[in-house]
Amino acid sequence: MTTSLKNNFMPPNLMSNLNQALLRRKDAEQDESSKPTSSSSQPENVNVDVEDDESCKKPRILVTNGDGIESAGLTYLVEALVKEGLYTVYVCAPQIDKSSSGHGVTFGETIVVSSIEMKGATAFEVSGTPVDCVSLALSGALFSWSKPMLVVSGINKGSSCGHNMFYSGVVAGAREALISGVPSISISLDWKKGESQETDFKDAVGISVPLINAAIRDIGNGVFPQKCAFNIQIPTSPSTNKGFKVTKQSLYRSTLCWQATSSKRPAYMSNQPGLGFQLAQLGRDASAAGAARHLTGQRKNVEIESVGAAEKSNPNQVKKHFRLEFIEKDHNGVDEDSDIKALESNFVAVTPISLSPYVYSDIQTAAADWIMSTLKQN
């Protein structure tokens, strides 16, 4: 069993508890050897990553998502990966819904990282974006390692086809891993309101885990495509899917519709904290207060007007409130080999994501070859 100390940004109370535990263990070791107890200065930052010998031998998988750490898609996926018993599973995911945060990072602000109980996995929730989560996890500041074998982002509630990939937090999590040179997969379920149900996530997990197993196997053998991440889109009816189809990113995007409202938060959203709103401007004091409430077990989502706007007292100032909604539109005219068309036809769409447009044809071929070899072996 090893404990390592590295740079880290941890909640003060958790950091204090860890320091006390380390000091108690050091004092006990010194008492046993009859050596006088020496004073130990408190380290500025604490990194605790404890693995037993058996866990060290297993491939590490990092799981994140866009919907938040309490979402059903992530919960079922982590449970399944732990049940496989083949991997050491780590989770670093947003504290709340950040599904439309795109490739945003929290720059110049302190984020709060809190450990949570997740059976069989080492899990942290982060008061930031999916990209924050992956970047932090791979930095070596939170964990003693920096390179898991695979990063899995998902399972997200709602598809991220076409240009919607640019808005998608779950895709951004996989893309950030690709930027850092770590193989990655993002997974989304084409959730339809009034049609889908939570058990569909279990069926989606049944599709996802064999792909993850195949990815880990082929990464170990050096044959997993290295220049791309995979965006896996699972159709609305996972249990009746027609199979896998390697697709191209379409030009489809949802319509962005801004609605004028009489107040910043409609009444019908007051008891639905995860319904797509994003807290864009939180002052440092507000962030600290929110973190304190969470750490004492009282989780609340509070919408706060920016400090800059609140300080203005001009009586002639015109102030309006708007809310953004994503409106689905018809998929007419999309290519047969596109991601959205595959989902419409009840296929699992596998779309390679590249960081360079100049290698797209290469990664398309590599993706198709890998999927075909995976299906043959399974």
Side-chain angles (χ1 to χ4, degrees):
M1 181 176 293
T2 59
T3 304
S4 59
L5 305 180
K6 289 188 179 180
N7 290 332
N8 184 30
F9 298 97
M10 303 289 287
N13 63 337
L14 177 59
M15 183 170 157
S16 176
N17 291 339
L18 293 171
N19 288 335
Q20 291 175 15
L22 291 172
L23 289 172
R24 282 197 299 269
R25 186 174 69 177
K26 182 174 182 180
D27 290 342
E29 291 173 351
Q30 290 174 340
D31 289 341
E32 290 176 3
S33 59
S34 301
K35 292 181 181 179
T37 303
S38 61
S39 60
S40 176
S41 59
Q42 179 176 336
E44 292 184 6
N45 300 297
V46 178
N47 177 304
V48 176
D49 178 21
V50 180
E51 291 183 352
D52 56 31
D53 292 338
E54 188 63 29
S55 296
C56 289
K57 298 176 183 178
K58 298 177 181 179
R60 296 187 185 99
I61 290 181
L62 174 67
V63 182
T64 191
N65 75 342
D67 290 344
I69 200 160
E70 293 185 345
S71 66
L74 182 141
T75 300
Y76 288 136
L77 179 60
V78 171
E79 286 178 355
L81 291 174
V82 169
K83 189 176 180 181
E84 289 281 296
L86 302 174
Y87 316 114
T88 302
V89 181
Y90 291 85
V91 181
C92 192
Q95 178 181 329
I96 61 172
D97 184 356
K98 296 285 185 178
S99 56
S100 297
S101 59
H103 209 97
V105 295
T106 305
F107 181 75
E109 298 284 341
T110 299
I111 63 173
V112 180
V113 181
S114 305
S115 62
I116 67 165
E117 290 294 326
M118 191 168 284
K119 188 175 180 181
T122 301
F124 289 88
E125 62 179 14
V126 178
S127 65
T129 66
V131 174
D132 288 332
C133 295
V134 174
S135 177
L136 176 61
L138 300 183
S139 70
L142 180 61
F143 303 116
S144 61
W145 49 265
S146 61
K147 296 291 183 181
M149 186 168 283
L150 179 69
V151 171
V152 181
S153 187
I155 298 171
N156 195 64
K157 184 178 182 179
S159 66
S160 52
C161 292
H163 287 176
N164 287 350
M165 286 189 194
F166 299 117
Y167 302 112
S168 171
V170 70
V171 173
R175 189 189 298 114
E176 180 64 21
L178 179 62
I179 290 172
S180 300
V182 179
S184 60
I185 294 173
S186 63
I187 310 171
S188 298
L189 172 64
D190 189 22
W191 182 274
K192 295 291 178 63
K193 186 177 180 181
E195 181 178 346
S196 300
Q197 49 192 352
E198 191 169 303
T199 54
D200 291 331
F201 282 112
K202 293 184 178 181
D203 294 330
V205 167
I207 295 171
S208 304
V209 170
L211 278 178
I212 293 171
N213 291 340
I216 290 289
R217 178 196 66 216
D218 291 345
I219 291 168
N221 293 332
V223 294
F224 187 79
Q226 298 182 2
K227 295 182 179 180
C228 66
F230 286 92
N231 184 26
I232 312 296
Q233 303 283 308
I234 299 175
T236 306
S237 253
S239 59
T240 61
N241 77 84
K242 296 179 180 178
F244 293 82
K245 190 172 185 179
V246 176
T247 60
K248 297 179 180 178
Q249 181 181 353
S250 65
L251 300 179
Y252 170 82
R253 61 164 262 184
S254 301
T255 300
L256 274 62
C257 181
W258 287 96
Q259 296 285 349
T261 63
S262 57
S263 62
K264 287 184 299 178
R265 193 174 184 190
Y268 74 86
M269 291 181 66
S270 61
N271 61 349
Q272 301 182 54
L275 199 59
F277 73 93
Q278 299 294 327
L279 308 184
Q281 297 181 10
L282 288 176
R284 284 184 173 85
D285 292 341
S287 296
R293 282 194 300 272
H294 176 70
L295 292 174
T296 54
Q298 300 177 6
R299 174 176 296 186
K300 293 181 180 179
N301 290 315
V302 181
E303 187 166 5
I304 300 171
E305 190 172 3
S306 68
V307 175
E311 291 176 349
K312 295 180 181 179
S313 58
N314 184 354
N316 297 321
Q317 180 186 35
V318 177
K319 185 181 292 187
K320 298 182 179 181
H321 300 108
F322 296 88
R323 184 178 71 253
L324 175 63
E325 295 180 352
F326 286 88
I327 307 298
E328 292 293 321
K329 62 181 182 180
D330 292 337
H331 307 155
N332 297 330
V334 295
D335 294 337
E336 288 297 323
D337 59 352
S338 67
D339 47 14
I340 192 70
K341 192 67 175 181
L343 275 186
E344 258 188 353
S345 304
N346 207 33
F347 284 96
V348 177
V350 180
T351 309
I353 303 171
S354 171
L355 300 178
S356 171
Y358 302 109
V359 298
Y360 189 79
S361 60
D362 294 338
I363 65 171
Q364 193 78 9
T365 301
D369 291 345
W370 181 70
I371 286 293
M372 289 301 296
S373 65
T374 298
L375 294 178
K376 289 178 181 178
Q377 294 183 45
N378 292 328

